[in-house]
C-alpha cells in the first residue's frame, strides 16, 4: 500500500492518497487510539482529528518515514490533543465531507472487532496503562514498528536505547500484573 500511496502522491492525487492511506491503516490506528484513550467517544474524536490531519497534511508529508509511521505520529498527536483538552475537542466537525465520511466508514467497520477484543483479560491489564505506555506497547508489539519508527512517532524520546529500556520496564510491569491476576505463573 505504501507504493500505491506514493504513486498517487506522485501524480498529485492527494485525495486519493489520503483515502488509500486511511482505508489501509485506519482500522489499526482506530484500535490504537481506543487502546490509548480508553474511551470509544474520545477515540472517535481523535480518529476524526487524525483523518483531518492526514487530509490536510499530506501535501506537506516529505516521505522521510513511511506513510504508516507518519500516520501513527499524527494519531499520537491527535490523542495528545484529546488528553490535554478533552472537552474542547468533543463534537468537532471535520473541514471536509470526504474526510468525515471516510472516518465514519472506518469507525463503523472497526467497532465490532474492538468490542469483542476488549473482553480479554490482557485487555484489562493493558487498560490500566497510561497513554504513553499504551502507545509504546501498541506500536512495538501490535503494529511491529521498529525502534527508529517509534522514535519518530514519539518525537520527545531521546534515543532508541531509552525507548528499549522503557519497553523492558513496561514488559515487566505487565508480567507482574498478569502473575498477580493468575494469568501466568512465575
Amino acid at each position: 500500500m505504501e507504493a500505491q500511496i506514493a504513486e498517487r502522491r506522485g501524480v498529485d492525487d492527494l485525495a486519493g492518497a489520503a483515502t488509500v492511506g486511511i482505508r489501509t491503516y485506519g482500522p489499526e490506528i482506530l484500535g490504537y487510539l481506543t487502546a490509548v484513550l480508553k474511551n470509544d467517544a474520545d477515540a472517535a474524536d481523535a480518529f476524526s482529528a487524525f483523518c483531518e490531519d492526514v487530509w490536510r497534511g499530506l501535501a506537506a508529508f516529505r516521505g522521510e518515514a513511511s506513510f504508516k509511521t507518519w500516520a501513527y505520529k499524527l494519531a499520537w498527536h491527535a490523542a495528545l490533543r484529546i488528553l490535554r483538552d478533552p472537552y474542547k475537542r468533543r463534537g468537532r466537525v471535520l473541514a471536509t465531507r470526504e474526510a468525515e465520511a471516510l472516518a465514519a466508514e472506518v469507525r463503523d467497520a472497526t467497532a465490532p472487532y474492538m468490542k469483542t477484543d476488549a473482553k480479554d483479560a490482557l485487555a484489562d491489564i493493558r487498560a490500566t496503562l497510561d497513554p504513553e505506555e499504551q502507545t509504546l506497547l501498541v506500536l512495538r508489539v501490535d503494529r511491529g514498528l521498529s525502534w527508529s519508527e517509534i522514535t519518530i512517532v514519539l518525537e520527545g524520546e531521546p534515543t532508541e536505547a531509552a525507548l528499549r529500556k522503557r519497553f523492558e520496564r513496561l514488559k515487566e510491569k505487565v508480567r507482574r500484573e498478569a502473575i498477580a491476576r493468575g494469568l501466568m505463573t512465575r
Side-chain angles (χ1 to χ4, degrees):
M1 286 300 151
E2 294 283 336
Q4 192 176 4
I5 294 166
E7 179 182 318
R8 289 183 185 231
R9 286 182 61 230
V11 296
D12 231 12
D13 180 13
L14 297 180
T19 299
V20 169
I22 292 169
R23 281 197 175 127
T24 301
Y25 299 114
E28 70 182 61
I29 287 188
L30 180 56
Y32 157 71
L33 289 169
T34 302
V36 169
L37 296 171
K38 302 173 187 158
N39 176 305
D40 288 341
D42 287 346
D45 288 346
F47 187 73
S48 291
F50 157 77
C51 288
E52 185 173 350
D53 292 346
V54 168
W55 210 264
R56 288 184 174 181
L58 197 55
F61 174 54
R62 295 185 305 259
E64 294 171 351
S66 68
F67 178 89
K68 181 179 180 177
T69 301
W70 179 71
Y72 271 102
K73 183 175 183 175
L74 293 180
W76 172 240
H77 285 273
L80 286 176
R81 290 193 306 266
I82 294 294
L83 288 167
R84 291 179 181 151
D85 197 6
Y87 300 106
K88 187 176 176 183
R89 305 309 286 177
R90 289 194 192 279
R92 180 175 159 208
V93 178
L94 290 178
T96 63
R97 278 187 248 188
E98 298 95 336
E100 175 53 33
L102 195 53
E105 175 187 321
V106 172
R107 273 195 309 264
D108 292 345
T110 307
Y113 166 77
M114 291 184 330
K115 288 178 184 169
T116 59
D117 193 43
K119 294 177 183 175
D120 239 355
L122 185 56
D124 290 341
I125 293 172
R126 290 174 75 151
T128 65
L129 303 176
D130 69 42
E132 286 188 30
E133 291 171 329
Q134 281 283 0
T135 292
L136 186 57
L137 190 63
V138 168
L139 295 180
R140 183 66 182 164
V141 175
D142 298 345
R143 304 304 185 246
L145 268 60
S146 70
W147 292 114
S148 61
E149 290 172 318
I150 296 170
T151 302
I152 291 168
V153 172
L154 296 180
E155 286 181 312
E157 200 58 48
T159 63
E160 290 179 28
L163 275 175
R164 285 187 176 118
K165 188 63 177 172
R166 280 181 58 199
F167 186 70
E168 288 301 317
R169 288 191 300 264
L170 177 58
K171 284 193 314 188
E172 181 57 29
K173 178 180 179 178
V174 170
R175 188 178 78 66
R176 279 193 314 268
E177 186 61 29
I179 290 170
R181 293 180 185 212
L183 297 174
M184 53 186 300
T185 60
R186 292 191 183 268

